[in-house]
Amino acid sequence: MIIINSLISMGPSVMMPVIFFLLALIFGVKVGKAFKAGMLIGIGFEGISLVIGLLLNSLGPAAQAMVERFGLNLTVIDSGWPVGATIGWGSPIVPFVVFGALGINIIMLLLNLTKSVNIDIFNYWHFLLTGGVVYAVTNSILIATISCLITFIIVLVIADKTAPRIQKEFDLKGISFAHATSAVYAPIGILINWIIGKIPGLRKIEANPETINNKFGIVGEPLTLGTILGVLLGILAGFNVTKILTLGIKVAAVMVLLPAMINVLVDGLVTVRDAAETSLKKRFPNREFYIGLDTALLVGDPAVLATGLLMIPAALLLAVILPGNKVLPFVDLASLVFLIPMVTPYCKRNIFRIFISGLVILTLILYAGSDIAVHFTKAAEIANVSLPEGVQESTGMTSLVGGATSPLGWLFIRLSMLFS
């Protein structure tokens, strides 16, 4: 755990280059080329982190201003994914889940039950968050650990099943995404796309970025879409003209810079992936393997980013109109984009269909968050996490992004109540 905690504390920008440098050497890449590949991956992750940081830091104040402007008064605060990650990594089940997940992944690979080598260790917090809440309900390390590991297996299976479609749509050969926040929503995208495909009129709506660009020219380009959406969000937040225009420019910058940073990472990834493919095919001629990574590689797609921005005001509207909802969307409003990357290819990158899927996903999350808030808050207390400053009047906390409020996480938490 000392070694794992040290790696995690370094962050993906340091952890991933080390991992991929070692992988490259194992698969026979020369030292110089392996170093370059690892560094490109590290630089890519750092670039992605910087651009996503720009997005979150720009949208955060706008989202909070919307909450205040619309006068929302709900009793469960969305405390955000950083709190969720702290709860996950701060729970007593960490060593059992981390080593258990690594062992299960190896066994499933040996038995040909999975193709994915999930090295996205930092995002194990998605599983751990569910387990942390289950532990708060049951006070049982065993039950909480089992919940996490079953979730890990299910998400690994989803990663395998979705990989071919995602690889084709996003041009990411040999990559899969065992990402508990995103993967569990892929079936919803499949279902919504099927339903819309059966509805006359709606099924003819074409709203993928390429179609928009062809119809509207410069207006449909990512930089213009980013500017328009940023300006609209600034207006909804009640910003002055200067702040509105600044937000428009920053969102446009994210739309342009994020794909560029992802390309840098992929350049390094290709070297390791090709060497791994050649080496593994010699040893396992009839097997195919995927490298499991963070869905941050997918959020740079214009369809994903544009829909993620539209989901911010939609989340606030749903919070008001959904009967029985107690959750106040807050910190995670800027991170909603991470809910939909794996939905996107199944909705044919159609922003309209992705957005409808996003509404369904948000509805499920808000109700799940309302239902488990008491236990989520207890899990936060166990991990020594307090309510964010300024929201002490709220009676509980939850998160919109993270495994606990996904349908799968909610199901395990509800089942665990049978043992409380």
Side-chain angles (χ1 to χ4, degrees):
M1 283 310 302
I2 292 172
I3 295 171
I4 288 176
N5 284 331
S6 298
L7 282 171
I8 291 167
S9 66
M10 294 177 184
S13 300
V14 176
M15 183 172 67
M16 288 303 180
V18 173
I19 291 174
F20 276 97
F21 173 71
L22 295 175
L23 283 175
L25 294 179
I26 290 170
F27 292 125
V29 179
K30 292 182 179 179
V31 175
K33 195 173 181 181
F35 172 77
K36 182 179 179 181
M39 287 303 296
L40 282 173
I41 290 169
I43 291 165
F45 266 110
E46 185 63 25
I48 290 170
S49 177
L50 288 171
V51 178
I52 289 179
L54 172 63
L55 177 69
L56 300 184
N57 291 334
S58 301
L59 293 180
Q64 293 179 23
M66 283 185 227
V67 171
E68 295 170 4
R69 191 180 186 205
F70 297 148
L72 301 184
N73 185 24
L74 299 164
T75 57
V76 177
I77 188 71
D78 157 36
S79 55
W81 73 263
V83 169
T86 303
I87 293 171
W89 288 113
S91 64
I93 63 173
V94 169
F96 307 102
V97 173
V98 170
F99 289 111
L102 292 172
I104 285 172
N105 199 172
I106 292 170
I107 292 170
M108 290 180 70
L109 287 165
L110 292 175
L111 297 178
N112 198 16
L113 297 175
T114 186
K115 300 176 182 179
S116 297
V117 184
N118 186 13
I119 62 172
D120 187 22
I121 296 174
F122 175 80
N123 282 321
Y124 277 21
W125 73 264
H126 298 151
F127 314 109
L128 288 165
L129 175 57
T130 298
V133 180
V134 169
Y135 178 77
V137 173
T138 63
N139 200 33
S140 168
I141 289 177
L142 177 62
I143 294 173
T145 300
I146 290 172
S147 299
C148 288
L149 295 180
I150 294 176
T151 302
F152 179 84
I153 293 169
I154 292 171
V155 172
L156 208 57
V157 171
I158 294 174
D160 284 347
K161 298 295 184 182
T162 56
R165 185 71 173 265
I166 290 174
Q167 289 172 16
K168 181 180 179 181
E169 196 70 52
F170 292 96
D171 193 23
L172 289 170
K173 183 183 176 185
I175 306 299
S176 68
F177 298 93
H179 193 270
T181 290
S182 301
V184 293
Y185 298 119
I188 292 176
I190 295 170
L191 177 62
I192 296 300
N193 185 68
W194 181 82
I195 292 173
I196 292 176
K198 301 294 181 181
I199 301 174
L202 292 184
R203 65 188 178 195
K204 293 184 178 180
I205 296 175
E206 294 291 339
N208 62 57
E210 291 74 23
T211 301
I212 295 172
N213 194 11
N214 290 336
K215 286 185 177 180
F216 301 103
I218 185 68
V219 177
E221 290 190 9
L223 65 90
T224 311
L225 283 175
T227 304
I228 293 170
L229 290 171
V231 166
L232 288 175
L233 291 173
I235 293 171
L236 289 173
F239 285 171
N240 59 35
V241 174
T242 301
K243 284 188 175 181
I244 289 172
L245 295 177
T246 300
L247 184 59
I249 293 295
K250 287 184 177 180
V251 174
V254 170
M255 296 284 278
V256 174
L257 293 175
L258 194 51
M261 294 300 100
I262 291 170
N263 286 338
V264 173
L265 186 149
V266 171
D267 284 345
L269 198 60
V270 166
T271 300
V272 184
R273 183 196 68 200
D274 290 349
E277 188 175 42
T278 301
S279 177
L280 290 171
K281 277 189 175 179
K282 290 179 181 178
R283 293 175 174 82
F284 308 98
N286 299 318
R287 292 284 305 275
E288 184 179 18
F289 295 91
Y290 306 140
I291 299 173
L293 292 176
D294 189 342
T295 49
L297 270 72
L298 305 180
V299 299
D301 184 89
V304 178
L305 267 177
T307 310
L309 294 171
L310 291 171
M311 285 170 64
I312 294 174
L316 295 173
L317 179 61
L318 285 173
V320 174
I321 66 174
L322 287 176
N325 171 59
K326 302 175 184 177
V327 177
L328 172 65
F330 194 62
V331 180
D332 267 342
L333 281 170
S335 303
L336 297 180
V337 66
F338 286 95
L339 300 175
I340 54 173
M342 295 178 68
V343 165
T344 300
Y346 294 97
C347 291
K348 302 176 182 178
R349 298 180 66 249
N350 186 320
I351 293 172
F352 171 71
R353 297 189 181 197
I354 303 169
F355 181 67
I356 299 301
S357 301
L359 293 180
V360 174
I361 290 168
L362 284 171
T363 300
L364 294 174
I365 287 173
L366 289 172
Y367 279 129
S370 299
D371 187 48
I372 66 167
V374 172
H375 308 295
F376 192 101
T377 306
K378 184 179 178 182
E381 292 170 356
I382 292 172
N384 296 316
V385 177
S386 59
L387 283 168
E389 185 180 355
V391 295
Q392 284 80 3
E393 68 274 9
S394 297
T395 59
M397 66 166 71
T398 189
S399 64
L400 302 182
V401 175
T405 50
S406 72
L408 189 59
W410 174 83
L411 176 61
F412 279 113
I413 293 165
R414 292 296 298 177
L415 288 174
S416 72
M417 293 178 190
L418 299 175
F419 302 93
S420 61

